[in-house]
Amino acid sequence: MDRELISKKDLLELTGISYGQLYRWKRKQLIPEEWFVRKSTFTGQETFFPKDLILARIDKILNMKDDLSLDELAGKFSPLHFEAAVAHHELSERNIVSMVVIERFSTPAQLSGAESYSFEQLLYLHTVDRLLSGGEMSLDEAGVLADTLREHFPKFEGKPCELLFTRKMGVSSFALVSVPADVYYDAGVKLVARLSMTEMAERLSGKLG
Amino acid sequence: MNAARSDVRMVGTTSSVGGVLGKVRIIGECEMYSDTDCTRLNCVGEAKVQGHLRVEGTLKLTGECKITGALQAGEIRGTGNLEIQSGIRGDVLKFSGNLDTDGDCELEKADLSGAFRVAGLLNAGRLNLNMYGPCRAQEIGGGFIRIRKSKVATMKGWINSDGAARLHARVIEGDIVELHHTDAGIVRGNRVIIGAGCKIGRIEYRQELRVDRHSEVKERVQL
């Protein structure tokens, strides 16, 4: 879960942008709220960002802002409203999701190529794939996860959420929570994985685009 | 979509379920019982919304407006008291009076005379604040930030000193920051101008720093 953070001060120095720009992009929702991590330091409160994500994002904004207005850019970056339809053969060819997952969790129409995958469906597959390939989850559990996502993820209506995967005495369970949320468990529970769905969507759109 | 929006005019003590509306004009007292979305809202008197309020164009207020959800508007102008629980988002704000929110406040251009309390971040492209009373924000950020105290408030301060017109903020960050009568933990900016009556813990600046001799600054760091 620990990832490299960069302070706002260092970020501005590194990228050469100004406070005004950074705050404007935040207002235009080009930079998601969850990336602003507030921490106390010895000089007082400082804001930090996940380094890899924010640098990639700023790079993209700087490259695209000459061609597009900020509002148009905002549309490009709200990953959960991403419009995409990808056909079955593309998925395997471009190695977006592994074959095992595709075959197990697609509808017959999608497998035959008659129907394509929506972004949300792909997001479910991608998330399942990620946990499966990491060896954290069994194939049976994958089925439960896919059902959970299908049933509950749309209820967040594009708001940021996290996926919690826990196990206690060998029994696994999944939960979707809105962020920011603090969750505490009893001592017997092992948190197997905690994934930000926004980040998963981000990665997926990176792979697609 | 537009055809379904109907204009509403309410006079006296009224209530409405809210919903999708066209131009709304309130004279008197009005309570909306759910989320409201309208093209324009003009209120003289008191408006209460239980839920979110979205105004496509201008929200013009003379009086009081209380919203239990969030406010989103193209333009907010007027005088009076604005109490919004979960945050404000808009293009232009030109308001005199009191502004209160438990959330964030995000505006492209803000001209505010009066007092405010923003529990989260006050984020504005251009912020021009003329203080008449106590102002408080967790964080202020933006391009151009100018905080001044009104002359009237200065004179009032000679007579009684409570409810002093001062700004309290933990962090203030901007490209150009000009502060008067402000208590802040950290101020960061390219050009920082500190006027009279400030108490600042630490200033981090890039190009320029000017400090009035009637102000206290503990630490100054040029980056």
Side-chain angles (χ1 to χ4, degrees):
Chain A
M1 233 11 234
D2 275 347
R3 57 182 339 149
E4 205 185 337
L5 295 175
I6 183 167
S7 77
K8 194 190 276 171
K9 204 196 311 176
D10 294 339
L11 177 74
L12 296 190
E13 202 150 328
L14 200 69
T15 55
I17 61 170
S18 68
Y19 285 112
Q21 275 173 306
L22 189 69
Y23 279 106
R24 185 175 315 122
W25 295 345
K26 178 168 195 260
R27 282 201 301 281
K28 294 284 181 196
Q29 290 162 331
L30 296 176
I31 302 172
E33 177 68 42
E34 316 90 76
W35 291 6
F36 288 74
V37 184
R38 292 188 175 79
K39 281 191 170 185
S40 296
T41 58
F42 68 98
T43 54
Q45 203 185 36
E46 265 258 39
T47 308
F48 291 84
F49 300 91
K51 191 170 175 179
D52 45 343
L53 293 177
I54 190 84
L55 285 178
R57 175 60 57 93
I58 286 181
D59 196 51
K60 261 193 224 165
I61 298 173
L62 288 176
N63 279 327
M64 300 202 312
K65 78 178 164 112
D66 296 333
D67 309 322
L68 297 168
S69 75
L70 285 182
D71 290 318
E72 286 169 328
L73 269 178
K76 277 218 171 336
F77 287 136
S78 41
L80 296 179
H81 300 293
F82 201 91
E83 290 299 325
V86 183
H88 167 247
H89 63 92
E90 264 186 274
L91 270 190
S92 43
E93 271 165 27
R94 290 166 60 190
N95 204 10
I96 295 169
V97 178
S98 70
M99 271 324 272
V100 185
V101 175
I102 298 176
E103 269 161 25
R104 203 175 163 98
F105 298 105
S106 300
T107 61
Q110 284 169 334
L111 280 180
S112 67
E115 228 174 77
S116 55
Y117 297 79
S118 73
F119 186 76
E120 282 197 342
Q121 287 168 330
L122 278 181
L123 180 61
Y124 305 156
L125 295 184
H126 184 58
T127 313
V128 169
D129 191 43
R130 159 84 189 266
L131 285 171
L132 263 183
S133 59
E136 291 147 319
M137 187 171 67
S138 73
L139 215 45
D140 289 338
E141 288 166 338
V144 180
L145 172 59
D147 291 341
T148 314
L149 287 172
R150 241 173 252 144
E151 193 175 340
H152 298 296
F153 184 73
K155 291 181 189 160
F156 285 92
E157 294 173 338
K159 287 195 278 283
C161 62
E162 277 184 337
L163 171 73
L164 301 176
F165 175 28
T166 54
R167 244 190 226 129
K168 182 179 182 177
M169 311 284 282
V171 180
S172 56
S173 73
F174 297 97
L176 282 168
V177 296
S178 55
V179 279
D182 297 319
V183 188
Y184 303 96
Y185 306 96
D186 63 276
V189 172
K190 179 174 175 358
L191 180 64
V192 185
R194 182 170 189 163
L195 291 177
S196 154
M197 290 307 288
T198 325
E199 209 185 302
M200 294 306 293
E202 195 104 346
R203 290 228 171 121
L204 178 59
S205 51
K207 274 189 175 183
L208 292 173
Chain B
M1 186 67 199
N2 265 338
R5 288 177 182 267
S6 54
D7 296 353
V8 185
R9 202 182 156 96
M10 286 177 277
V11 183
T13 304
T14 49
S15 60
S16 156
V17 283
V20 181
L21 301 168
K23 284 185 236 166
V24 178
R25 194 174 163 82
I26 297 167
I27 300 172
E29 209 174 300
C30 177
E31 189 157 359
M32 314 260 196
Y33 291 112
S34 66
D35 292 354
T36 303
D37 184 330
C38 55
T39 51
R40 266 198 293 178
L41 181 82
N42 197 332
C43 170
V44 181
E46 192 181 343
K48 281 188 190 170
V49 181
Q50 288 178 9
H52 305 300
L53 173 65
R54 196 180 84 92
V55 185
E56 221 175 81
T58 309
L59 163 68
K60 189 163 190 310
L61 176 71
T62 312
E64 205 170 337
C65 182
K66 287 186 182 169
I67 299 171
T68 59
L71 168 65
Q72 191 189 341
E75 200 178 341
I76 304 164
R77 50 172 68 237
T79 42
N81 187 18
L82 255 176
E83 273 177 44
I84 287 125
Q85 222 139 64
S86 17
I88 304 169
R89 180 182 284 278
D91 253 357
V92 179
L93 174 114
K94 216 172 156 74
F95 196 73
S96 23
N98 185 44
L99 195 149
D100 193 291
T101 176
D102 285 332
D104 293 344
C105 185
E106 309 203 322
L107 301 154
E108 287 310 312
K109 190 167 181 294
D111 277 294
L112 180 67
S113 311
F116 70 82
R117 185 187 68 92
V118 175
L121 164 72
L122 170 59
N123 180 350
R126 288 180 73 82
L127 171 67
N128 223 323
L129 172 66
N130 199 7
M131 294 188 287
Y132 281 80
C135 298
R136 199 172 276 277
Q138 172 90 323
E139 255 180 84
I140 300 178
F144 173 86
I145 297 166
R146 176 190 266 165
I147 313 287
R148 282 176 306 176
K149 183 169 154 179
S150 94
K151 292 204 174 86
V152 178
T154 312
M155 285 191 277
K156 231 179 89 191
W158 297 339
I159 305 162
N160 76 30
S161 58
D162 31 291
R166 279 189 82 75
L167 167 68
H168 296 263
R170 286 250 294 262
V171 182
I172 301 175
E173 289 176 336
D175 295 338
I176 302 173
V177 182
E178 186 185 330
L179 306 175
H180 296 264
H181 303 278
T182 298
D183 289 340
I186 304 179
V187 176
R188 300 192 183 96
N190 293 342
R191 294 178 55 204
V192 180
I193 299 161
I194 304 291
C198 293
K199 274 189 198 155
I200 315 284
R202 180 184 164 96
I203 296 180
E204 294 172 10
Y205 68 103
R206 275 168 219 278
Q207 284 149 18
E208 188 190 356
L209 173 67
R210 271 188 280 163
V211 179
D212 187 277
R213 62 197 166 87
H214 297 294
S215 282
E216 243 180 73
V217 178
K218 285 211 186 93
E219 253 182 288
R220 305 164 191 217
V221 186
Q222 181 161 24
L223 300 174

